[in-house]
Amino acid sequence: MSNHRVTITYTAPQTFLSTDHWKQVHASLVSQLPLRNLHWKPSTRPTIRTIQELQVDFVAADVKRDEHTYQVPQTLLEKPLMNAYIVICEDTETYKNTVKKQIKDWHSSIAQRKNQEWLIVHIVRPDAKASGARLFQVKSSVLDKIKADFNVDKKDRCVQLAWASDSDNPAAWAELIGKMKDGLLAAFDAAVAQREEEVRRSEGQRQMPGWNFCTYFILKESLASSFEGMGLHEEALSTYEELEVLFFQVLKDKSMTWFGSLINPSARDDSAALLSIERKPFRDLILANSISIFDFRIYLLARQCKLLSGMGKIVEVGRKAIMFLQTFGKRLREVENELLPPFFVESWTYCSALSVADQCDIWAKSLQMEKPVLTSFNAVKGELAELARHQLDALGIAAGFLPSHPPFSNITASTNGENESDPLPADFSRISRADLQSALQDKEAFFEMYVKVTNRAIESYVAAGRRKFALRMHGSLAALDVLRNRLPSALQTYTSLPAHYAPHGWTSLEAYMLTRSLDLHAQSQKPKDKDWLNVLLDYLKAYVQDMGKALLISAKDHIAYTTSLVKSLREAAESSESDVTQHDHPAITVSVPKDPVRLDEKRDGAVLRIIVRNALPCPVEVDEVTVTLAGREGERLPFIGEAHSLVPGMNTMVLFCSSATVGTYSLHLSQVKIAKLVLQWMHTTPPNAKASKPKRPPTLISIPRDLRALDVRLRQPLRIEVGGQSRIIAALSTGRNCVSKAMLRLSAPSGIQFETDKIGLEGDGAISFEVIDDAIVLFDLAADTTVSISVPHSDASALHAMRVNITVDFVTSLEPDLTRTLRLARVVLVSLPLTINVEDFFRGTRLFTRFTLSTTTHQYIRIKSLELTAEGEDDELKITKSVTQSSTITTVTPGQPGRFLFQLDSKQGPAAEFVGLCIKYRMLREEVEGFIDNAVREGMGDSTSQADHDTLVDILVQALESDASWVKLYGVTGELIVPNASCTHDRLNEAFERATEARCPPERNTTIWREIHIKTDVPSVHILAAARLRLLPTPFGTVGSIGKLPPLYAGQPISATLSITPTFHWSPKDHLTSQAYAMRFDIGELTADWLVSGRKTGDFVAKDGQTFETNITLIALHHGELMLPRVAVEALPIASDSRMGSVVPSCRAHQLHGAEKVLILPRGGRTTFIVDMGEPTDAY
């Protein structure tokens, strides 16, 4: 039935049909088939259906003479959809006398047929058609007469074909092909509409007596078959789906009178191809109302799958078949003991699954699948092969070839009346598949078949990228190897499979495979080497991560089983030749609670409290637990705990680090050591690592400062000589420790080198030390001792501050076997805390020098004194310091510099080459810390404990650092008010209150002062010129006759005299020293205030003490108090014997009239204005 195709019949005079001309025309017409791109707009459906390709049979009418239809509807295509009459006539008279009657007789018989179209094809030669198309043609052609005679319903069913064997033009067929498409679609649409009406009428009678589902099925199936023949596979599939839904509704209503039994198995039902329609007369059984539900479901499935294959949906075919085999197989198992022969379901499922896979391969050969579709296709084939393999599991267990436990017992085998307590020999004689029946009689043959089907599933799963399914199949092959006593092969498979499961989180499968690997290792009596240890660790990992532990192992008591494995784990770790490191094992986890660190009050170091979780159901003996904290620049602090027994669940442990330093650290690494097995967990991701998981925020741990621990501080020397050897002071404080030996190493990342061979100790104490390999080694230091070491270093003038890495390895007398290592990073200021700006003002024989001191940091600086001393004889250079009204101590702040003025008076010029500047200062922080230290000692009295003293000082200093509001009041009054300070130690409250109430003005503070010594040159200048402008009362006046000036007015010429008096008093003694110098003056013209007339600029010869004068005229441009113009004086180049040619002597000029102002009055006068007030008007 499914082979029905669209038929077009043709009729023509027998004389023409026997000619070669017709044979050529027929062959050419058949070559135009199949028809393509037909667009069907059904009258009963809203959308257009496109038929990509339509197969058409073009046959003679006498072949289709049987006009009677079957009583049982087959398909709408069993009758022709179109009938054609072929006309060969080019003469109208011949047409009128002979051909017209032949066409009329044919038309009379065709017109009576329902749902069939007709078409008259007039064949002419191409030249005849061209010659017949004459302009202003009066006589009609044969085609016109045919159309006039037979196109009675205004539908053109006549077409002319201009064709010749020697000129086969494809365009000549276009009109004929178009008429054929239109006619076929019209006939098919009418037939479908009629048949759908019959189906609706039958379905409407469903509730009436006598209605038969099987008859209705055959009727509606004829529609599906018609759609299939027309290439409308989606319409056909939709029809079958509607029939399937109706069948399930009938099944639900239990109206099964139209069917036979559930199943009536025949001889080869268990091995026949599932999708074969020809294996049984299904339609005859349906019409006879005797078809079983088993056969009906198979027929319906086969028809649907055939349509899906025509649509290219091979994947859907496999999925539909798998669903059918699983669901209907479950239904058959319910009745297998009563209706089915032994192992019918297993044999039927096995054969059907493989036959569907084979049929899908056949259908897929003609398709070009894209990669996603091909992947799904391989996956479906793998599922079919696995379904068949499961049936072999059931049959193998029944035959006694396979054990009844996983992985073989996934499918429940047919019992067929067998009792497990009293099993009977299995009867496989009713299985009709020969190879399967023979395999069930021979164990090795069965195993070969088992392996073959399993490998088939593996190959499909691998091609589909389903690794999990493929690996599971490998696991079943490994189990089969165990059964066949091929232990090495099985052990290798079980050992390699977990590595494929772990990345995907398949812990259940991983744990099962590892369990089998451990069991096989024990059966093989192999040594428990490093490989076995890794397998055991992987098993414990999967055991912890999987929730269904009891289902994964063969032992009944998994706790006892795991306990024995853990015991063996330790034995294997002890016998290992080298350390075995395992990362991130979940059996043991280490976490840190809140505020986990506290100081050890009796010794240097810190204690870390951790929580160790043992996820195993048995205790684990560990030898050592280590937690490492990471600081800045690679600093690591290891906290170590000794041997401990970890019980199941949470365990609290206390770890100790002897070299802990204050700071904030991140949890970096935790480690548990069991003999030579090391379990490690990285808590931070390396910067250059590509993390597969999102980064978690680090666990931060703060270690408080131990005020009584050994410490090293760096500072600048108390005396700094600018230009001398650079040094820093390293102050080592022993704290509570009696140090028998301490080795101090200093290094600077900036490249500064420390000259340890030139070190020196500050203070009067006799300390034994030596230098070994650039390390300073100190011996026998008592507790609470501070050793200050002066360490020279290379030039660091380019740096403001220097970072120094400090490493101290020391041994205390209380713990002589423990060497502690203290690593510190300190920053010490290497530049001066002050910037010094010098300004020099020459006035005759005197030099005024002003020093401006500014702080280079945000800290305040106390200046006790600033002294300037001459290096020469005292009577030649007299230095006088200015007297200020402020206190003797000056405070320099970031916003307020300190200024100091000195007068240098020289009788004979720069008598001394250098002067020395000495600055005594201290940082405000040092002053306050010293004040707090003294206040605390006084407050505690004689019961001073160094630990209590350090605690109180630290509390007060931290309070001052947190709030700077105390600074201004302390700077003015010396009263230190500590903000928000509180003492949590009850026994120290009284001393704390006395310390906070203490007062000490800066003058009485005993904190030591620092000194800066700077040697600087005495400034000099070749020429010092004093310029002055004097206004004259009259143009003819002289300087000596200057009296009171008359009133001066804007715009009035004012006479003035310019005088310049040079001096060589501060001239240096060099090759430029001369008795006279050529100089030039220039009066600066203030264009907004003055106009200068006369000798505005000019040259003159300067001699020591001789005054140069010249007259000029000034004109004030406006009234007001005006400054006099400034006079610029410069020296001109003089010849020199050096290679540089001419040189310019140094020169400085100052304005003697710089502070003078002149009052200019506005010019007086009278101006008369005449204003026209206008004439009176009568406009109002």
Side-chain angles (χ1 to χ4, degrees):
M1 181 189 66
S2 61
N3 294 326
H4 278 293
R5 303 203 306 184
V6 176
T7 303
I8 299 177
T9 65
Y10 63 87
T11 304
Q14 191 63 34
T15 56
F16 175 67
L17 294 178
S18 61
T19 63
D20 293 337
H21 186 201
W22 165 245
K23 294 178 181 178
Q24 294 174 355
V25 172
H26 182 271
S28 182
L29 177 59
V30 171
S31 67
Q32 304 298 319
L33 304 177
L35 302 178
R36 293 177 175 84
N37 296 326
L38 289 82
H39 303 287
W40 176 44
K41 178 61 176 70
S43 57
T44 58
R45 290 169 175 80
T47 58
I48 297 177
R49 268 68 169 175
T50 299
I51 303 173
Q52 301 293 339
E53 186 176 283
L54 179 62
Q55 300 291 338
V56 178
D57 291 335
F58 192 68
V59 299
D62 54 0
V63 179
K64 289 283 187 178
R65 287 187 180 277
D66 187 8
E67 300 297 335
H68 301 285
T69 60
Y70 294 100
Q71 294 295 327
V72 179
Q74 297 281 332
T75 174
L76 300 176
L77 307 182
E78 60 187 350
K79 297 184 298 182
L81 292 182
M82 177 173 281
N83 302 278
Y85 190 87
I86 310 300
V87 177
I88 302 295
C89 181
E90 299 179 1
D91 184 10
T92 56
E93 292 298 327
T94 304
Y95 168 75
K96 180 178 180 182
N97 297 328
T98 306
V99 176
K100 178 178 179 181
K101 183 178 183 304
Q102 295 174 350
I103 298 176
K104 188 173 183 180
D105 293 340
W106 170 81
H107 183 265
S108 299
S109 63
I110 294 300
Q112 304 300 322
R113 300 178 183 178
K114 293 182 179 180
N115 302 327
Q116 294 187 30
E117 284 288 334
W118 56 270
L119 182 66
I120 301 174
V121 182
H122 182 212
I123 301 178
V124 298
R125 298 188 306 274
D127 55 349
K129 182 177 181 181
S131 62
R134 296 188 301 270
L135 188 64
F136 305 114
Q137 178 178 335
V138 177
K139 186 178 180 180
S140 60
S141 64
V142 175
L143 179 64
D144 296 334
K145 291 183 176 296
I146 295 174
K147 289 183 177 181
D149 292 336
F150 295 100
N151 286 341
V152 294
D153 56 353
K154 297 183 180 181
K155 185 175 181 181
D156 187 8
R157 294 185 175 87
C158 303
V159 62
Q160 189 176 69
L161 175 64
W163 182 88
S165 59
D166 56 349
S167 177
D168 192 3
N169 184 9
W173 298 95
E175 185 177 3
L176 174 60
I177 296 300
K179 294 290 186 182
M180 291 172 63
K181 289 181 180 179
D182 295 340
L184 290 175
L185 293 177
F188 179 71
D189 184 57
V192 169
Q194 180 180 349
R195 182 57 51 87
E196 286 182 342
E197 179 61 29
E198 295 173 1
V199 170
R200 282 194 296 270
R201 190 182 306 113
S202 176
E203 187 175 2
Q205 300 172 356
R206 177 184 168 191
Q207 303 299 329
M208 299 178 62
W211 185 83
N212 191 304
F213 172 80
C214 294
T215 304
Y216 174 81
F217 178 87
I218 295 297
L219 179 64
K220 190 166 185 176
E221 189 191 20
S222 64
L223 272 177
S225 302
S226 304
F227 289 139
E228 182 182 3
M230 288 292 292
L232 298 169
H233 296 96
E234 292 184 1
E235 297 291 328
L237 181 63
S238 176
T239 303
Y240 276 114
E241 290 175 349
E242 293 173 0
L243 287 171
E244 186 177 26
V245 171
L246 183 59
F247 167 75
F248 285 124
Q249 183 63 40
V250 170
L251 189 64
K252 182 180 179 181
D253 296 340
K254 298 182 180 180
S255 302
M256 308 304 295
T257 56
W258 308 292
F259 297 93
S261 60
L262 175 65
I263 182 173
N264 185 18
S266 59
R268 300 190 58 83
D269 274 354
D270 65 324
S271 60
L274 181 67
L275 302 183
S276 174
I277 303 176
E278 292 78 13
R279 66 176 188 168
K280 280 186 179 183
F282 291 107
R283 288 177 55 84
D284 296 339
L285 293 174
I286 295 174
L287 288 171
N289 293 336
S290 61
I291 189 170
S292 65
I293 295 177
F294 174 77
D295 290 334
F296 179 81
R297 293 289 306 276
I298 289 178
Y299 175 71
L300 192 58
L301 173 70
R303 297 294 297 136
Q304 290 175 325
C305 291
K306 182 67 168 60
L307 291 171
L308 288 171
S309 68
M311 298 166 60
K313 298 182 178 181
I314 310 299
V315 177
E316 294 296 326
V317 172
R319 291 174 179 170
K320 202 170 187 66
I322 292 172
M323 180 63 67
F324 172 75
L325 291 174
Q326 290 176 342
T327 55
F328 199 73
K330 183 179 180 181
R331 177 72 179 94
L332 292 178
R333 290 186 187 280
E334 297 175 358
V335 297
E336 59 184 340
N337 291 335
E338 296 82 9
L339 303 178
L340 300 178
F343 305 105
F344 176 87
V345 178
E346 287 77 11
S347 177
W348 172 71
T349 306
Y350 172 82
C351 298
S352 298
L354 294 182
S355 67
V356 170
D358 294 337
Q359 185 62 51
C360 288
D361 282 332
I362 296 173
W363 285 335
K365 289 180 180 179
S366 60
L367 300 177
Q368 294 293 332
M369 297 184 183
E370 297 181 355
K371 187 175 180 180
V373 179
L374 183 60
T375 299
S376 300
F377 176 59
N378 288 319
V380 166
K381 289 200 302 180
E383 292 176 11
L384 287 167
E386 185 179 3
L387 181 60
R389 214 293 307 276
H390 286 328
Q391 311 314 310
L392 292 182
D393 288 335
L395 293 172
I397 293 174
F401 298 159
L402 300 177
S404 181
H405 60 71
F408 307 109
S409 61
N410 295 326
I411 295 295
T412 304
S414 300
T415 58
N416 290 281
E418 297 178 10
N419 191 341
E420 294 183 359
S421 60
D422 187 16
L424 298 175
D427 180 14
F428 301 110
S429 60
R430 302 289 295 277
I431 294 178
S432 60
R433 182 163 178 145
D435 60 341
L436 180 59
Q437 187 180 34
S438 61
L440 291 172
Q441 306 300 327
D442 184 358
K443 179 182 289 189
E444 288 301 321
F446 175 81
F447 288 157
E448 294 299 326
M449 176 180 285
Y450 190 92
V451 172
K452 180 180 178 181
V453 176
T454 305
N455 286 332
R456 181 174 177 176
I458 291 174
E459 291 175 1
S460 298
Y461 281 141
V462 170
R466 292 192 174 184
R467 296 185 59 195
K468 180 177 181 180
F469 297 88
L471 293 173
R472 188 177 60 195
M473 294 290 101
H474 278 293
S476 62
L477 290 180
L480 185 64
D481 286 336
V482 175
L483 191 63
R484 301 172 74 178
N485 203 25
R486 298 179 179 181
L487 297 183
S489 175
L491 179 59
Q492 181 180 2
T493 303
Y494 279 128
T495 305
S496 61
L497 286 179
H500 300 281
Y501 292 131
H504 303 282
W506 301 333
T507 53
S508 298
L509 293 173
E510 181 185 4
Y512 177 77
M513 297 301 172
L514 290 169
T515 304
R516 299 298 302 145
S517 178
L518 293 172
D519 293 343
L520 287 178
H521 195 282
Q523 293 178 20
S524 303
Q525 297 181 353
K526 288 189 174 183
K528 297 179 180 179
D529 52 5
K530 187 175 181 179
D531 294 337
W532 178 86
L533 191 61
N534 289 326
V535 172
L536 177 55
L537 290 172
D538 291 340
Y539 164 75
L540 293 177
K541 179 179 179 180
Y543 175 85
V544 170
Q545 293 177 345
D546 183 53
M547 299 302 295
K549 309 179 193 60
L551 300 177
L552 299 178
I553 59 178
S554 56
K556 294 182 179 180
D557 188 357
H558 66 84
I559 296 179
Y561 180 73
T562 306
T563 303
S564 63
L565 291 178
V566 172
K567 183 178 180 181
S568 301
L569 172 69
R570 183 170 185 85
E571 294 174 355
E574 291 175 348
S575 60
S576 177
E577 296 180 356
S578 60
D579 288 345
V580 179
T581 302
Q582 184 81 359
H583 296 280
D584 300 327
H585 201 284
I588 298 175
T589 55
V590 178
S591 60
V592 178
K594 185 179 180 182
D595 298 330
V597 177
R598 61 176 178 84
L599 298 175
D600 193 330
E601 301 295 340
K602 297 181 180 180
R603 55 178 179 171
D604 285 9
V607 175
L608 175 66
R609 181 168 55 90
I610 64 172
I611 296 176
V612 183
R613 178 178 177 270
N614 178 14
L616 298 174
C618 58
V620 178
E621 299 292 334
V622 299
D623 298 329
E624 184 180 275
V625 179
T626 303
V627 172
T628 303
L629 306 184
R632 293 179 297 179
E633 299 183 0
E635 184 180 4
R636 299 290 186 266
L637 296 182
F639 287 79
I640 302 174
E642 300 301 330
H644 193 80
S645 178
L646 301 178
V647 299
M650 300 298 180
N651 298 264
T652 301
M653 292 186 64
V654 176
L655 312 183
F656 178 72
C657 177
S658 61
S659 303
T661 55
V662 62
T664 300
Y665 299 83
S666 63
L667 183 61
H668 173 64
L669 172 71
S670 55
Q671 175 177 296
V672 174
K673 194 169 185 180
I674 306 172
K676 293 185 179 181
L677 173 63
V678 180
L679 303 180
Q680 284 187 353
W681 299 268
M682 294 295 297
H683 301 277
T684 56
T685 304
N688 56 351
K690 295 182 180 180
S692 59
K693 298 180 179 179
K695 290 185 177 180
R696 294 180 299 175
T699 302
L700 300 181
I701 299 174
S702 297
I703 298 180
R705 182 170 58 179
D706 190 353
L707 302 175
R708 298 289 295 149
L710 186 140
D711 194 15
V712 178
R713 295 181 179 273
L714 302 180
R715 58 177 174 83
Q716 289 182 313
L718 295 178
R719 178 185 174 91
I720 300 175
E721 294 184 3
V722 178
Q725 175 69 61
S726 300
R727 293 176 175 270
I728 61 171
I729 303 299
L732 186 147
S733 302
T734 60
R736 68 168 67 88
N737 304 288
C738 293
V739 180
S740 57
K741 181 181 178 181
M743 182 176 292
L744 172 65
R745 292 183 177 86
L746 304 178
S747 63
S750 58
I752 302 300
Q753 301 296 321
F754 293 98
E755 303 174 3
T756 54
D757 55 337
K758 299 179 182 179
I759 67 169
L761 298 181
E762 292 189 349
D764 301 332
I767 303 297
S768 175
F769 74 95
E770 61 182 11
V771 178
I772 303 175
D773 296 334
D774 294 333
I776 305 170
V777 184
L778 304 173
F779 300 97
D780 300 330
L781 302 179
D784 297 321
T785 300
T786 300
V787 180
S788 298
I789 306 171
S790 177
V791 183
H793 61 82
S794 58
D795 181 45
S797 58
L799 303 176
H800 174 69
M802 177 173 60
R803 179 184 176 88
V804 181
N805 294 329
I806 304 171
T807 303
V808 184
D809 297 326
F810 65 98
V811 179
T812 63
S813 58
L814 293 178
E815 296 175 296
D817 297 331
L818 175 62
T819 300
R820 286 178 165 83
T821 300
L822 178 65
R823 292 182 176 85
L824 302 170
R826 302 295 191 197
V827 177
V828 59
L829 195 69
V830 293
S831 63
L832 296 179
L834 295 166
T835 58
I836 304 172
N837 184 32
V838 183
E839 297 176 282
D840 296 323
F841 305 95
F842 291 94
R843 296 295 184 269
T845 62
R846 290 173 296 176
L847 170 63
F848 295 94
T849 300
R850 182 170 67 186
F851 295 92
T852 302
L853 306 184
S854 304
T855 177
T856 59
T857 64
H858 64 280
Q859 296 192 32
Y860 289 20
I861 300 177
R862 298 285 202 183
I863 306 297
K864 180 180 181 182
S865 64
L866 190 144
E867 301 294 337
L868 190 65
T869 58
E871 297 293 332
E873 299 181 2
D874 296 338
D875 55 350
E876 293 184 359
L877 183 63
K878 183 179 180 182
I879 299 177
T880 306
K881 183 179 180 181
S882 65
V883 179
T884 61
Q885 300 299 324
S886 61
S887 60
T888 57
I889 295 180
T890 303
T891 303
V892 177
T893 67
Q896 180 182 351
R899 294 180 175 86
F900 300 87
L901 183 64
F902 292 88
Q903 175 186 294
L904 283 71
D905 194 353
S906 172
K907 297 179 180 180
Q908 299 180 0
E913 294 185 358
F914 303 100
V915 292
L917 179 65
C918 177
I919 305 173
K920 290 186 177 182
Y921 73 98
R922 66 185 174 205
M923 310 300 291
L924 182 64
R925 180 186 179 93
E926 295 175 341
E927 179 181 301
V928 172
E929 288 180 351
F931 168 62
I932 291 175
D933 184 80
N934 294 332
V936 170
R937 292 189 183 279
E938 293 177 0
M940 297 185 67
D942 297 336
S943 60
T944 302
S945 169
Q946 188 63 36
D948 294 341
H949 171 270
D950 294 344
T951 301
L952 284 180
V953 170
D954 184 67
I955 292 174
L956 293 172
V957 170
Q958 289 185 6
L960 294 177
E961 290 176 344
S962 63
D963 190 351
S965 60
W966 55 272
V967 176
K968 291 184 178 180
L969 180 63
Y970 176 78
V972 175
T973 65
E975 181 180 0
L976 182 62
I977 299 179
V978 182
N980 303 322
S982 60
C983 180
T984 58
H985 303 275
D986 296 337
R987 56 189 177 84
L988 301 179
N989 281 336
E990 184 178 353
F992 177 79
E993 293 177 359
R994 286 199 297 268
T996 54
E997 294 173 357
R999 290 177 177 81
C1000 179
E1003 295 81 2
R1004 291 186 294 171
N1005 195 303
T1006 58
T1007 304
I1008 194 169
W1009 294 94
R1010 299 176 177 271
E1011 294 183 1
I1012 297 177
H1013 290 265
I1014 304 175
K1015 184 182 288 187
T1016 181
D1017 298 335
V1018 176
S1020 61
V1021 63
H1022 289 97
I1023 307 167
L1024 177 62
R1028 181 166 186 177
L1029 276 174
R1030 296 190 181 208
L1031 301 183
L1032 301 178
T1034 63
F1036 307 102
T1038 60
V1039 176
S1041 62
I1042 292 178
K1044 184 176 181 182
L1045 293 174
L1048 303 177
Y1049 296 95
Q1052 173 188 349
I1054 302 172
S1055 299
T1057 299
L1058 169 62
S1059 61
I1060 301 174
T1061 303
T1063 178
F1064 305 157
H1065 183 78
W1066 294 98
S1067 176
K1069 297 178 181 180
D1070 55 15
H1071 63 282
L1072 295 180
T1073 303
S1074 176
Q1075 299 298 322
Y1077 297 93
M1079 302 189 69
R1080 177 174 297 164
F1081 71 90
D1082 184 11
I1083 302 175
E1085 185 173 0
L1086 302 177
T1087 57
D1089 297 333
W1090 298 97
L1091 287 179
V1092 180
S1093 177
R1095 193 178 179 186
K1096 178 182 175 184
T1097 181
D1099 297 341
F1100 67 98
V1101 177
K1103 294 184 179 180
D1104 188 15
Q1106 294 185 5
T1107 302
F1108 166 78
E1109 292 185 355
T1110 184
N1111 294 325
I1112 60 174
T1113 301
L1114 300 176
I1115 299 177
L1117 298 178
H1118 60 86
H1119 64 276
E1121 284 191 338
L1122 305 181
M1123 300 288 296
L1124 291 175
R1126 297 182 64 83
V1127 181
V1129 182
E1130 62 180 358
L1132 298 178
I1134 60 176
S1136 175
D1137 296 336
S1138 64
R1139 296 180 181 179
M1140 299 181 63
S1142 60
V1143 295
V1144 180
S1146 59
C1147 175
R1148 288 195 182 186
H1150 61 275
Q1151 313 292 318
L1152 296 178
H1153 60 279
E1156 296 181 7
K1157 291 184 179 181
V1158 179
L1159 178 62
I1160 304 298
L1161 301 176
R1163 179 178 290 276
R1166 184 176 66 182
T1167 303
T1168 302
F1169 297 93
I1170 301 175
V1171 181
D1172 187 4
M1173 301 300 295
E1175 296 294 333
T1177 179
D1178 298 333
Y1180 299 101

